[in-house]
Structures are given as structure tokens and as C-alpha cells.
Amino acid sequence: MGHGWTPSRLLAWIGGAVTLLGVVFLLVLAVQRGWLGPLTPVLGGAGLGAVLLAAAFRVRGRPGGTSGSYALAATGFAVLYLDVVAATVLYDYLSVFGGLTVGFVLAGGGLLLSDRWRAQPVALGVVAGCAVCAPLVTGEPNAVLVGFLALLHLVATPVQLRNGWSQLAGVAALPVVVAAVLADLWAMLTATDHLAVVLVVSAASLLGVVVATVTSALRPEDNTATASLVAAPVPVLLATPLVERPFAAALAAGVAAALAVLWGSRFLLSRRDRLPEEFTTAAGGIAAVAAAQSTMTSLDASAWATALLCEALLLTLGALWLRSPGVLLGALCYATLGTAMALYHDVPPRHLVLVSHSASAAGTLVGALTALVAVAVPIAGVRLGVLSRPPAAKTLWSLAGVLVLYGTASATMALVSLFQPDRSGFLLGHVSITLSWVVAAIALLLRGIRLTSLRVAGMVLLPVALTKLFLFDLATLDGFARVVAFLCTGLVLLAAGVRYARSVSTDPTAG
């Protein structure tokens, strides 16, 4: 049998789609307009589905009837499934549990038939028809809709794994994710039962992760597994605003922990038993996002920068320990987000140029963390061999140098202002910043007699410190503070010049 869309096949499947829409209109309008009582449309839908299935078996045995039987069977099972959804949601003939049970039997029958016939079109028709038309029956993206679509995903999984039907895997997984996301948004806008939505969405997301993992383990070549893994946790992460902060943080942390286990399996399992690298990499990336969300949900905004920068340091150490560039990339993302938070909230640039600002111990800590992270991440990159390309390495080191200077300056200013929150403290802070930069530059130059990289860093830092002295300090500082800044800087430079000349003359390898 060919796989092209011949006119006969096209007509059959279009007819099936139109039939499904007709059933949906019958079930919905019967409720809205009171047609024939509630029982008649349900029985009519069940009868139509049974007739379509009987016709499918009858047509299949005739010459050229294969494609028609596929369309009839898929339409028949979809009609029966939608009839159960309507009996549950619209007419209350079945409880939710009862409706899901009957739906499981019907969807399972349709998928088993597709497996027996080795016909992926039948499976696709059943799943796609139900997934597209079920929202029209329920009328809103609620927990019941997510449950029925998750049921389709569950039933389709054994069949798609057995036959390697990647198209079925995608068609079964995507509607659940979309419906769950819409259910989150709908719950935020309405007074629906938030707990029910969160529980159902969490269960659907867990199912998606499990199915993706099993698919990746049994069929490593199936790329839909990685896509499903990335999409599956999205609804549960979006559902966190529906619950209180502790539960929201725990929900995101649970997602992070589960995906971190998947990512960590690459280090615990033998090479033969490992999941595909792209799958575990995706798991690690989503775990990092979920962990950041958990951190920011559980803490007040004032502590975000501190927490994210501390996590960046931990990830950097983890990257060195595991020799993993992927973990270092996560550390860089955390460092970037934490630094942005720090610049916005804890150590904004105005603190360095305005006398009146609120000093706090947090500013000292965050400034120091910013500088420490800015040094740690590039050093880890060098040790892991990911900064071997000169342009990338030069850019990252330059940015790191700027952040180190800014972080140390902010920490110094915050520390001084904490004890002396007036203009004299502001002046003392800038004197301390300038002198610390000069001393650090000299230390780098002295240590760089044998190490070129340190010498270059010192030769860059010293002009920066002097530029600040002449362009900022000279214009900003007044009276005794200006005298102290220039005298101390000059004396330190004199002493350093003498020491540097002596060190160079006694070291024949110095250049």
C-alpha cells in the first residue's frame, strides 16, 4: 500500500473529520438547546461509533478497502471516546473516574486495533481526533480535559514503543502539554479549583517525563523523546503561581530533582546503559531552570542575587569535579542572572557615585560574590579547556575583569558606608577603592614577572586605577581625602617601582 494521499484516502479522512465535528455539534448543542433530552445524544453517539467500527471491519475485507477501513475505525473510536467525554462533562452520567475508566478501555481498544493492523494512521486518527475535538466538548481547558488527554498519551505509549511510531509519540504528547498550559492560565483567570488543576497538571507532566525517558531508553534514535522531555515539565512549572509559596517552591524543586537524577545517570551508569547524551543534556538544562525558579520562589527578591551567585559558585565547583562543560554553562547562566539581579537591587551603579544611599551588609556580600564568581567561572573554563579559542577567552576575561573591579568597588563602598553612612564615608570608600586597585595591580605585576598573563592583567589594571584617580577622584574628592588619595597612591607606586626593578634585575627569566 502506498503512503501518498490518494483521492480516495483523502476523501475518507476528510469525511471522518467532518463526522467528528458533526458529533461534537450534536453533543454540545443538545445540551445548549435541550434537544431530545440528554440521553438521546449520548446513545446516538454510541450507536454511530459502533456502526462506524462495524463498517471498518466489513470494508477492510474488500479489495481496495484498507485506507477506508482505517478512516472508519479511527473515526468510530474517536466518536465513542468523545461520547464518553460528553457523558462525563456535559451530562454527568459518569463520574470523572468512571469516564476515565471507560475512556481508557475505548482508547486502548483503538490503539490495540492499530497495533494489530500495523496501521499508524488508525492510531494517529484516534489520538488526533480525540485531542482536537475533546476541548470543543468540555468547553474550557480544565483538569478533566487534561486528564482525558493524558489518558490518550498513556494508552498510546505502549503501541508507539512497540512499533517505533515517532509520529504517534509526538501527536500523543503535544496535546497534553498544550491543554495543561491552557489549564494553568485558565485557572489563574477564573475561580476554578486550583488544587485539582495543579494535581492533574503535575501528574500529566510526570507522565510525560516518564514516557520520554522510557522512549529514549528503548529507542535512542527517536528524537521526539528529547522534545517531549523539554516540553513535559513546562505546565507544572507554570502552575506554581496557583499554590502558596512553600508548595510552589517544593513543586519546582521536585521537577529539578527528578530531572537532575536523569542528568546524573550519565555519570552513574555504564556507557552501554546510558541514555542518549542529548537527552540527559536537555534534562540537566531544564533541571537548572527549575532549580532557579524554586530559588526565586522560595526567597524574597532581596535575597535572589545572593542565592543565585552562591549557586553559581557551587555549580562551578561541580563542573570542575565532574569535568563537565555543561555544568559550567549552567554556572555561567546562574552567574549572569545573579549579577543582573545584583546590579538592579543590591549594588546598583548609583551607590558608587551618590553620597546618599542605604548601606547594608548585603551589598558587601553581594559585591564580593560578584567578584568571586567573575574570577571562578573563567578559571574553571580554562581548566576544562573550553576557553581555548582566543576571541572567546579574551572577551570573557575582559568581562570578568570589569565585574571584578565593579564587585570589589561595590563591596568596599558598602562596607565603609555601613560604618560611616555620610559624605566622609563616601570619600573614604573611594580612597580605599583606588588604593586597593593600585595595590592589586602592583601585586599582579610582581607575580607576573614569571607569568605573562598576570603581568598583562597588572598592566591593564594599573592604568584603570590611575584613570579613576585623575578623572573621578580628582573631581569628586575634596580637601584631605584628595590629598590622602594622591599621596598614598604615589608612595605605593614609588615603592612598587623600586621593588619591581630589583625583582627584574635578579631574575634572568623576566621579560
Side-chain angles (χ1 to χ4, degrees), residues 155-170:
V155 173
T157 297
V159 176
Q160 65 96 358
L161 288 176
R162 171 180 164 84
N163 297 280
W165 292 341
S166 58
Q167 291 181 351
L168 177 60

Side-chain angles (χ1 to χ4, degrees), residues 143 187 192-202 239 242-244 247 251:
T192 56
D193 186 356
H194 291 180
L195 181 60
V197 172
V198 171
L199 291 176
V200 172
V201 165
S202 300
L242 299 176
V243 293
E244 298 295 330
F247 299 104
L251 206 59

Side-chain angles (χ1 to χ4, degrees), residues 7 25 44 72 80 167-168 232 264 266 292 297 358 365 390 442 447 465 487:
F25 294 151
L72 287 169
L80 292 174
Q167 291 181 351
L168 177 60
R266 66 194 299 178
T297 301
S358 57
L365 176 60
I442 292 170
R447 293 286 297 175
L487 279 179

Side-chain angles (χ1 to χ4, degrees), residues 66 69 113 120 122 138 160 206 239 253 268 275 426 436 456 500:
T66 302
S69 66
L113 181 63
Q120 183 174 198
V122 174
T138 60
Q160 65 96 358
L206 178 60
L268 301 176
L275 295 168
F426 176 79
S436 65
V456 170
Y500 189 80

